[in-house]
Amino acid sequence: MIKVEGLTKRYARTVAVDNISFEVEKGQIVGFLGPNGAGKTTTMRILTCFLPPSEGSANVAGFDVMANPLEVKKRIGYLPETPPVYPEMEVSEYLVYVGRLKGISSGEINGKVSDVVGKCALGEVRNKLIGQLSKGYRQRVGIAQAIIHNPAVLILDEPTSGLDPKQIIEIRELLRHLAGEHTIILSTHILSEVEHSCERVIIISRGKLVAIDSVANLTNRLRGSEAVAVEVQAVDGQPNAGDVQQRLEQVSGVSRVMAKESKDGGLLFEVESLQGRHIRADLARTVVNSGWNLNEMRSVGLSLEDIFLQLTSAEKPAESSAAQEGEKK
Amino acid sequence: MTSVLLICKKEFKSYFTGPIAYLLMAFFALIFGFGFYTATRDVVRFSLQAQMMGQQQPMNLNDQIIRPLLGFASTIALFLIPMITMRLIAEEKKTGTIELLLTSPVNDLAIIVGKWLGAMLLYLCILGMSVINIAMLFAWGKPDWKPVAVAYLGLILQGGCLLAIGTFISTTTKNQIIAGGVTFFVCLLLWLLSWFTAFDTGPFGQVIAYLSIITHFDNFAKGLLSTKDVVFYLSMIFFALFLTARSMESLRWRS
């Protein structure tokens, strides 16, 4: 659905996006992740034909952004960082205006407006001036204008910024509902956002592509190994913590066993595997064969937060002000 | 085409959601009304004197009131036009709504023409204020309507021209004050160019005089409809809108 090849965008003094390539399949929700000034907005602006790329190509829904911008724009719904709303217009008036601009016929427009008003829960403020709305409502009006013409591709720049937790959950549900028939790219610097709503993640930092993978794979790949928490039942100090640790260390593929604080009735260990080894089955067998009771076993994957920091701080941690400037332009 | 009308309608409406349209119309009506009062008073006084002196000279409303008055209107317009055009694109750039316009399936020219037409409609409303005064002359006198129509056509063309220049200037900045200020300065400059001809009749002066937007209005004010002037205004409008389109395009490359 979206195909980006060797995309580069240079501003006068800075390179905002540096040779990025990726593909997004139809119906996927992709998270576009990066610290401030990483080039997320610039990439999105290129995909929406707002900015031309300096080098490389971007293809959206089968049309090139340079050769066929009008066709691309028809198939894209875009929510910029700040919702593009006119404060002097009423919500419904605004949605009619945007919908008509995007090519909805005058016969269909009222139905479409009611549709998005329902989807984005704007019923209460339908006839209010946008200038009087709270940030959260404005954001929802912004999302409503992006989906009004039922675009194949949705590009959302930080869609949940400024919303309260309940609204964030609502927006996530809306997005999940929209995925499938729509392909969605959403940018964010909030990591839990990506863990919750995205299938795949594209991480960029300082204009360069750092990682692109599914959320689950990324967690594993980065750790390089798997970490498992094992809790063995202990009654009256039996079995001995030292024994268990020793036994676990002997399992093949285990690189390290750390004893965690024991709760009453359980000994807790964190076991790490060697690169690419699956140790869970062996661990369970060892515990059971030794005649102990296995209370709990779960993998303690790295949170996306850790990965993100690991990836983006491989380079200089502080984003230079120049790169930030590039994004803001 | 539908998008041009959509944008035009939206622009026109948004002038009236704030105070700007009402302020401009009131301001114009006040100044023009004052001009009308002075001009009419003087003419009436003069003709009374003439009658007492025994001269039977019929009053010519066209020459003595309407022509100077509509010339005056064209000068007032110079001051109002920057206030109409300054927000057109600068405001969208400031609030970020330009991203919505430029990522909608509408080509740049439709956006520009739509906005210019919206401004044009407001300008027509402002000019409409003067019709009240002129209508009074028709009610109590017998002026010739044809030169009046030509003068109004001139006002509309001159306004269209300055509005197009203002629209162009509005694309170059995101600060409305700067857009308004620069437009005002350019309008003033074009006005001053007409003075230049009074002192310089050489070829250079002729060229400058030709470029002055005001000199071309003089013929319209006299009731002379010449192709030369109409073509001048229309080509200036096209040229300014063309520049606007280029400036919008460069916006994408530079921003």
Side-chain angles (χ1 to χ4, degrees), chain A residues 43-276:
Chain A
T43 311
M44 292 187 145
R45 283 179 169 176
I46 293 172
L47 287 177
T48 53
C49 312
F50 182 69
L51 290 179
S54 308
E55 260 170 52
S57 69
N59 191 298
V60 179
F63 295 96
D64 189 85
V65 292
M66 286 302 277
N68 260 320
L70 235 49
E71 294 299 318
V72 171
K73 288 176 189 174
K74 275 183 200 162
R75 288 162 179 81
I76 269 187
Y78 175 43
L79 171 70
E81 238 168 329
T82 40
V85 292
Y86 297 99
E88 76 273 10
M89 286 176 110
E90 283 175 15
V91 172
S92 53
E93 185 191 5
Y94 169 75
L95 290 175
V96 168
Y97 171 64
V98 177
R100 296 278 286 125
L101 263 190
K102 292 186 174 175
I104 299 173
S105 69
S106 56
E108 283 175 75
I109 188 71
N110 285 329
K112 295 265 189 193
V113 168
S114 314
D115 210 35
V116 289
V117 163
K119 269 186 189 160
C120 300
L122 290 166
E124 285 170 42
V125 297
R126 212 187 154 130
N127 296 319
K128 274 196 178 169
L129 287 179
I130 296 176
Q132 294 171 344
L133 298 183
S134 65
K135 174 88 174 75
Y137 269 121
R138 272 187 221 194
Q139 191 73 17
R140 281 199 260 176
V141 173
I143 294 175
Q145 70 68 30
I147 62 176
I148 191 163
H149 57 309
N150 206 18
V153 178
L154 261 179
I155 295 185
L156 310 171
D157 203 348
E158 309 200 350
T160 53
S161 71
L163 301 183
D164 65 38
K166 187 166 162 281
Q167 291 167 336
I168 291 180
I169 292 168
E170 280 167 10
I171 293 295
R172 276 182 198 152
E173 254 158 39
L174 178 65
L175 289 181
R176 256 196 290 273
H177 183 73
L178 290 170
E181 39 181 326
H182 306 266
T183 309
I184 304 176
I185 295 190
L186 62 93
S187 85
T188 177
H189 54 252
I190 304 163
L191 293 140
S192 62
E193 191 61 49
V194 173
E195 277 173 312
H196 278 107
S197 29
C198 302
E199 296 155 27
R200 298 180 75 213
V201 198
I202 297 171
I203 299 182
I204 63 171
S205 171
R206 317 186 79 215
K208 291 202 172 66
L209 195 75
V210 185
I212 171 165
D213 212 333
S214 71
V215 175
N217 278 347
L218 206 59
T219 321
N220 285 340
R221 204 192 81 194
L222 266 137
R223 189 63 180 257
S225 53
E226 143 178 68
V228 184
V230 180
E231 192 186 325
V232 177
Q233 194 181 20
V235 187
D236 302 330
Q238 281 303 319
N240 184 298
D243 289 347
V244 180
Q245 181 159 4
Q246 212 173 13
R247 202 66 72 80
L248 290 178
E249 277 167 353
Q250 284 161 9
V251 176
S252 79
V254 170
S255 63
R256 200 154 68 111
V257 179
M258 281 178 294
K260 295 275 177 177
E261 83 246 62
S262 316
K263 292 177 282 184
D264 38 68
L267 299 168
L268 192 63
F269 300 93
E270 200 173 300
V271 185
E272 282 179 23
S273 75
L274 292 171
Q275 184 108 21

Side-chain angles (χ1 to χ4, degrees), chain A residues 11 45 48-52 73-74 78 80 84-86 88-89 93-94 97-98 100-102 145 329, chain B residues 3 6-7 10 13-14 17 92 95-107 252-255:
Chain A
Y11 293 119
R45 283 179 169 176
T48 53
C49 312
F50 182 69
L51 290 179
K73 288 176 189 174
K74 275 183 200 162
Y78 175 43
V85 292
Y86 297 99
E88 76 273 10
M89 286 176 110
E93 185 191 5
Y94 169 75
Y97 171 64
V98 177
R100 296 278 286 125
L101 263 190
K102 292 186 174 175
Q145 70 68 30
K329 272 183 199 169
Chain B
S3 39
L6 264 171
I7 292 169
K10 190 241 143 206
K13 252 187 105 173
S14 64
T17 45
E92 304 242 14
T95 59
T97 45
I98 191 85
E99 277 193 75
L100 171 72
L101 276 182
L102 293 186
T103 58
S104 296
V106 180
N107 63 41
R252 291 169 187 270
W253 290 96
R254 281 181 302 142
S255 63

